[in-house]
Amino acid sequence: MDMKLELVPVPVSDVDRAKDFYVDRVGFVADHDFQVTDQLRFVQLTPPGSACSVVIGTGITDMAPGTQRGLQLVIADADAARDELLARGVDASEVDEQPWGRFVYFADPDGNTWALQQVPVRD
């Protein structure tokens, strides 16, 4: 049985601010933005090259804004990713060198945290 993770909720306090951050600063693609009812707004955003998206909005999750921690994306080049985030106005960490990869960390305006991992070359 195949199981593919396709959508992860990210709790935010201001949907428009979060959408602007993820699209304009981080570079995610805005797939959908639907105001379904007064209590439900569904905004789906996808990292470039990813088969899995995130959803922000109202009425999406009961998690408190800023409590989604440690979401991780795999990237080709940690230095280039960091440079791009900094150029777009994202407060990205220095590159963290570990035996299992090179990492860059950042948080959205609510404090939800992300790690970008450059996977080490395997022999």
Side-chain angles (χ1 to χ4, degrees):
M1 167 177 33
D2 285 347
M3 293 185 192
K4 298 177 181 177
L5 182 63
E6 293 194 8
L7 194 64
V8 175
V10 176
V12 300
S13 60
D14 182 319
V15 178
D16 291 319
R17 177 183 70 174
K19 181 181 177 185
D20 289 344
F21 174 80
Y22 283 109
V23 172
D24 297 337
R25 294 202 178 171
V26 182
F28 285 17
V29 176
D31 301 314
H32 306 288
D33 186 344
F34 294 110
Q35 185 73 48
V36 181
T37 67
D38 288 343
Q39 295 80 31
L40 180 61
R41 180 176 174 191
F42 180 88
V43 181
Q44 181 174 324
L45 309 170
T46 304
S50 180
C52 184
S53 302
V54 299
V55 61
I56 61 174
T58 53
I60 299 296
T61 181
D62 59 1
M63 291 187 292
T67 59
Q68 185 66 282
R69 302 292 183 162
L71 293 167
Q72 187 165 311
L73 301 170
V74 173
I75 53 169
D77 183 327
D79 296 302
R82 179 178 187 274
D83 290 346
E84 184 172 335
L85 288 174
L86 291 173
R88 291 171 166 256
V90 176
D91 184 19
S93 72
E94 296 290 332
V95 175
D96 177 19
E97 303 271 352
Q98 298 294 330
W100 53 89
R102 303 176 75 232
F103 295 84
V104 174
Y105 306 99
F106 70 91
D108 73 11
D110 284 297
N112 298 297
T113 63
W114 293 82
L116 305 180
Q117 179 189 21
Q118 177 185 334
V119 178
V121 176
R122 295 187 183 11
D123 296 330

